[in-house]
Amino acid sequence: MDPSDTFLQQLTEHQTQLKGFILASLGHEADSQDVLQRTNLVLWKKAGEFRTDAAFLPWALGVARYEVLAFLRDRQRDHLIFDPDVVELMADAAQQQATELPDRLRALRTCLRQVPKKNLQLLNLRYVHGQSIRQVAEATGRTDDSVKSLLLRIRKRLGQCIEQRLAEQSD
Amino acid sequence: MNRHDSHSQKLDELDSLLLDALDGALSNTARERLNTLLRDDASLREHAAARLQEEVLLREELRTAEVAHLFDDEMPLPLHIELPEPEAYGSNHRWRWFAALAGCVLLAAAVRLVLVQAKTTPRALPDGLIAVDDQDNRFTVAQPDRLAVITRTINVDWQPNSLRPDMSGTLGPGHLQIASGLLQVEFFSGARLILEGPADFQLVSPMQAVCHYGKLRAMVPPQAHGFRVASAAIDVVDLGTEFGMQIDQDGQGEVHVLDGQVALRDPTGQADEQLLDDGAAVRFTSNGQFHEITSNRHAFIGDAYLSQLEANHQAQRYQIWHAESQKLRADPAALFYANFEDSDPTNRLVHNDAANRLTSDGAIVGCHWAQGRWPGKGAIEFKRISDRVRVNLPGRHRAITFVAWVRIEGFDRWLSSLVLTDEWRQGGLHWQLSDAGEIILGVHGHGNHFSPQVLSPADLGRWIHLATVIDPGTVTHYLDGRPVYTKRIRHARPFELNAAELGNWTPGPSITDNRIRSLNGRLDELGIFSRAFTDEEVAAMFAAGAPG
């Protein structure tokens, strides 16, 4: 198989894992998007170095990690969510979880089926249409606090369901 | 309070802090608390990392489901694609072409991919309008170093290390190096240049450039007075409207004032500035000595001649496209192929030009005829939300290729239709674009394939080539002849398109969200084929049909 064949395919397949890793390391949506773009650019530039028999994910995560740290170094940002030392710790935690992300996705899919339709619509507003809590509150005629606490409850239940499924899988 | 309770309280606190962080609503105190929690406890970090990664998963999963109508009872989760075993992926030949691409082309595509992503921002409202007057602004903010745009290219032979425009034609600082051909460069200041190869021309700022060698004609409107072309021997500052300049590779050359006035300056600052008026010309040596010569305004290519060259060039491009179009017409797998050559405004049918005539003509509803990629070449324009072309595509097919030349005028809402089968039924395919610049193929019973965000506001108003190929083993999206997304799938069921629409959609009554998906733009070639095109075929169609 041609190297660039494998490369484009691998890059497509691992976008979610790269996004997840970077967001978990930075905790900031827009910054993560920036770093993902830089990471993709570097990966493209290095496509020639990629060996088809090597594992793509560890290689790509290595690049992503470097770009996360470079991002911290290059920019004195006042809106950073995590302190630089916490970024490193979070990157370690996220790196360990990155390989199990496909399992997590499968679990999430199953768990989403148990979410009542009404709550799904709320998730939809937030995750499909990217609305802030304030915007969701306005759109649904609730208070900010009630939207936030509902979201937290839905996410907590989903999270618990996912962890339970992952634990079952690993038995 | 026991230890367990306090841990679970910390988890709740952490979740709440993370939600605020993602919402941009984290106070300084809360931020410090969040960092302390994470710094001190590895299990909290694991929890936070998992929740944050789930943010990404949720977004992708729900978004994928949303296009395919999550709330439509016939379309339950899950929607994603199962991967087959690697050996099931057998279409190696598709990629030889890709391998043949020179590194710089690959890199250009990559830079494009990344730049484009940088230019798009997440939508803020459901079915939100991206305001048109907002777009230029976002574009310049995201690309602060852009300073000029290439608006005409005629037979340009680029040097390997030359600065190249991105696909929207814009340029940052750097050296434009061409071996031959003509380029029209418009600086953001308003200054316009016609550059003749061979040339090495360096863009410095919207008001300044350096000509190392080559020939140029500069047209400078009042807004850009003071526009300066520097060289090793002499600096030319425009004070009027138009001048020509020509420099040899050894640094000597000529300046001709065609209209208005220019100032000649010594780059070392030793000699006095000299003003040169309309009709005057000088020849200068590489050390900056100059003397007057007779002006020759015909030595520099002007607008009229450029237009004529361009018309000839376009006629050639049209011929090349026409020959390729005849091949596509003759393809036995053509289910529907329209090249929109028949642009009689009274015609309310889109002629199916496929030689085999497997399907009837398309019926135009509301749309008007408009100009296509070249003068005299037709296209159909979709403007109102009711505009559409209805087609009927019978049969069951193992593979489908969609190809189109489109000019998008705006993304009016989340989804814009290219080809959508009516409602959302067994065997149906939905080929559409999102306002985030993604190419999407929805496969009934199977899920949606989103390309990366490959289109940006800079792509609005230019002709782009889109293609998507699906066979039982692979889905691939292409922009301008290059693959931008490819995914292995396993999809044994045949596609049954039947009644479908170009540029719009007739949803079923059960569908409540995102019912309006009308296209805002023009279509001047469209093909639907019941076989999988190879990379080479898509690239060839792009190369033959590119208007530039």
Side-chain angles (χ1 to χ4, degrees):
Chain A
M1 194 180 276
D2 194 275
S4 35
D5 168 358
T6 317
F7 180 78
L8 180 61
Q9 208 169 322
Q10 296 278 355
L11 190 64
T12 304
E13 305 252 337
H14 290 98
Q15 282 295 295
T16 308
Q17 272 149 305
L18 290 173
K19 261 186 225 174
F21 169 78
I22 296 167
L23 182 64
S25 304
L26 289 172
H28 189 283
E29 195 78 61
D31 286 354
S32 304
Q33 197 61 30
D34 285 353
V35 174
L36 176 67
Q37 282 150 14
R38 292 179 191 208
T39 303
N40 281 338
L41 179 56
V42 173
L43 290 171
W44 271 102
K45 278 186 185 160
K46 293 188 170 186
E49 294 172 21
F50 174 61
R51 305 198 330 275
T52 52
D53 56 338
F56 182 88
L57 187 62
W59 178 66
L61 284 176
V63 171
R65 188 188 185 95
Y66 183 86
E67 289 303 316
V68 165
L69 299 177
F71 181 81
L72 295 185
R73 199 180 50 234
D74 293 351
R75 303 202 190 173
Q76 296 295 325
R77 295 225 156 197
D78 48 8
H79 67 256
L80 283 179
I81 300 294
F82 298 146
D83 293 333
D85 62 317
V86 175
V87 169
E88 297 221 28
L89 293 168
M90 287 300 292
D92 291 340
Q95 191 151 4
Q96 279 173 17
Q97 292 173 5
T99 47
E100 63 163 40
L101 210 65
D103 293 334
R104 196 171 283 277
L105 177 61
R106 265 189 287 279
L108 171 73
R109 262 179 223 158
T110 314
C111 295
L112 268 177
R113 291 190 221 189
Q114 296 162 11
V115 176
K117 217 170 186 176
K118 248 197 149 125
N119 290 351
L120 262 186
Q121 277 164 341
L122 178 68
L123 289 179
N124 206 38
L125 284 176
R126 179 151 179 91
Y127 292 101
V128 179
H129 298 295
Q131 294 200 352
S132 67
I133 286 172
R134 165 73 41 87
Q135 287 169 322
V136 173
E138 278 166 11
T140 56
R142 295 163 177 268
T143 64
D144 293 7
D145 281 347
S146 79
V147 169
K148 186 179 168 187
S149 80
L150 180 56
L151 258 178
L152 282 171
R153 278 209 305 282
I154 300 171
R155 285 297 308 275
K156 186 175 180 177
R157 222 169 293 151
L158 260 180
Q160 284 166 344
C161 171
I162 291 168
E163 298 303 338
Q164 197 180 335
R165 296 214 146 251
L166 286 174
E168 285 165 12
Q169 282 172 11
S170 62
D171 282 346
Chain B
M1 190 182 293
N2 66 33
R3 201 173 159 273
H4 178 78
D5 279 346
S6 107
H7 187 68
S8 111
Q9 271 178 358
K10 275 188 187 167
L11 289 179
D12 287 348
E13 187 188 358
L14 180 58
D15 283 343
S16 172
L17 289 167
L18 287 173
L19 187 59
D20 284 342
L22 292 170
D23 220 39
L26 199 64
S27 69
N28 274 337
T29 329
R31 198 189 82 86
E32 277 168 33
R33 173 68 182 155
L34 175 61
N35 279 284
T36 307
L37 284 172
L38 294 174
R39 193 175 282 120
D40 294 349
D41 189 335
S43 74
L44 291 182
R45 288 198 293 275
E46 266 178 46
H47 178 85
R51 287 299 86 85
L52 287 168
Q53 293 184 83
E54 280 162 24
E55 283 285 314
V56 173
L57 294 180
L58 262 174
R59 198 175 316 126
E60 310 253 306
E61 186 65 13
L62 289 170
R63 216 174 52 135
T64 303
E66 171 71 5
V67 194
H69 328 297
L70 183 61
F71 310 119
D72 181 357
D73 290 333
E74 65 175 298
M75 191 61 216
L77 294 163
L79 298 144
H80 268 267
I81 311 302
E82 285 173 37
L83 287 181
E85 275 55 69
E87 58 270 23
Y89 182 66
S91 52
N92 275 354
H93 64 280
R94 305 166 58 81
W95 294 98
R96 297 216 179 100
W97 172 81
F98 197 102
L101 276 176
C104 68
V105 176
L106 185 65
L107 185 60
V111 169
R112 154 113 188 128
L113 179 75
V114 170
L115 286 179
V116 158
Q117 289 192 342
K119 281 180 278 176
T120 46
T121 50
R123 85 183 60 81
L125 298 163
D127 294 338
L129 221 62
I130 293 186
V132 171
D133 57 359
D134 186 25
Q135 282 160 359
D136 288 339
N137 192 25
R138 287 196 314 180
F139 177 60
T140 20
V141 168
Q143 292 190 309
D145 67 330
R146 307 282 95 178
L147 52 88
V149 56
I150 290 187
T151 48
R152 283 168 155 179
T153 55
I154 297 172
N155 292 327
V156 170
D157 182 9
W158 298 91
Q159 300 280 21
N161 294 324
S162 173
L163 176 69
R164 297 290 285 268
D166 62 27
M167 285 189 198
S168 64
T170 59
L171 298 162
H175 288 255
L176 277 174
Q177 293 166 320
I178 56 175
S180 62
L182 291 172
L183 278 179
Q184 177 167 279
V185 183
E186 292 180 10
F187 284 78
F188 288 179
S189 59
R192 179 164 62 97
L193 293 178
I194 297 169
L195 191 64
E196 286 179 63
D200 178 349
F201 186 76
Q202 186 184 354
L203 286 74
V204 178
S205 79
M207 284 296 282
Q208 192 184 345
V210 182
C211 185
H212 296 277
Y213 62 87
K215 198 166 165 186
L216 64 91
R217 183 179 185 125
M219 285 137 286
V220 185
Q223 304 88 302
H225 277 185
F227 180 80
R228 184 154 73 105
V229 179
S231 76
I234 205 164
D235 287 0
V236 182
V237 181
D238 185 276
L239 305 172
T241 52
E242 205 166 332
F243 67 91
M245 186 172 181
Q246 175 260 313
I247 302 181
D248 297 342
Q249 301 214 19
D250 55 16
Q252 60 186 359
E254 297 174 8
V255 177
H256 295 240
V257 184
L258 307 173
D259 196 4
Q261 192 180 51
V262 304
L264 300 181
R265 287 184 191 155
D266 178 359
T268 64
Q270 287 166 359
D272 288 341
E273 173 176 299
Q274 176 154 344
L275 295 179
L276 221 53
D277 286 322
D278 205 347
V282 295
R283 176 170 290 137
F284 58 86
T285 61
S286 55
N287 59 13
Q289 303 294 315
F290 57 83
H291 62 273
E292 291 219 15
I293 56 169
T294 311
S295 175
N296 176 12
R297 62 185 305 114
H298 303 295
F300 301 93
I301 290 179
D303 283 338
Y305 188 49
L306 188 68
S307 296
Q308 193 191 331
L309 285 173
E310 194 175 36
N312 294 344
H313 182 61
Q314 283 181 340
Q316 280 172 11
R317 298 295 319 174
Y318 174 82
Q319 289 305 325
I320 293 168
W321 166 76
H322 198 261
E324 175 75 13
S325 176
Q326 297 309 309
K327 274 196 256 170
L328 292 170
R329 290 183 60 183
D331 195 314
L335 285 177
F336 184 85
Y337 174 72
N339 64 20
F340 299 93
E341 284 246 80
D342 173 17
S343 56
D344 174 358
T346 60
N347 188 0
R348 301 313 288 163
L349 292 175
V350 170
H351 191 252
N352 176 16
D353 298 302
N356 60 25
R357 298 282 298 166
L358 289 174
T359 61
S360 50
D361 294 341
I364 298 173
V365 183
C367 310
H368 295 292
W369 287 91
Q371 185 180 304
R373 275 165 286 171
W374 300 282
K377 160 89 182 68
I380 195 128
E381 184 170 52
F382 300 84
K383 211 74 208 170
R384 292 165 298 185
I385 61 169
S386 54
D387 289 354
R388 64 197 69 211
V389 174
R390 291 205 51 83
V391 293
N392 193 25
L393 308 157
R396 291 154 68 88
H397 313 287
R398 297 277 294 160
I400 292 288
T401 296
F402 293 109
V403 289
W405 276 102
V406 290
R407 200 178 87 177
I408 311 289
E409 303 299 340
F411 292 117
D412 294 350
R413 52 192 70 75
W414 182 24
L415 298 168
S416 295
S417 161
L418 294 166
V419 180
L420 264 65
T421 53
D422 282 2
E423 306 191 21
W424 187 231
R425 290 187 293 233
Q426 176 80 39
L429 289 174
H430 281 183
W431 192 39
Q432 51 196 334
L433 302 173
S434 79
D435 64 359
E438 298 149 315
I439 308 165
I440 310 168
L441 183 70
V443 186
H444 187 271
H446 208 78
N448 283 277
H449 293 270
F450 287 76
S451 77
Q453 298 175 324
V454 288
L455 298 171
S456 76
D459 294 310
L460 299 179
R462 80 173 180 93
W463 288 103
I464 56 174
H465 185 255
L466 297 171
T468 294
V469 176
I470 179 166
D471 65 21
T474 319
V475 174
T476 308
H477 291 301
Y478 301 83
L479 171 64
D480 288 345
R482 295 176 192 152
V484 291
Y485 170 98
T486 186
K487 187 134 182 168
R488 281 181 272 166
I489 57 166
R490 188 190 287 155
H491 187 86
R493 266 184 280 166
F495 305 112
E496 297 171 76
L497 307 180
N498 299 315
E501 280 174 10
L502 315 183
N504 215 318
W505 185 40
T506 295
S510 66
I511 290 155
T512 53
D513 288 0
N514 304 303
R515 290 172 61 90
I516 297 175
R517 303 188 183 183
S518 54
L519 179 70
N520 177 2
R522 295 179 183 189
L523 188 60
D524 106 337
E525 190 173 359
L526 178 105
I528 304 168
F529 298 83
S530 62
R531 67 179 181 85
F533 274 30
T534 62
D535 285 351
E536 293 86 344
E537 285 176 300
V538 175
M541 187 182 170
F542 166 71

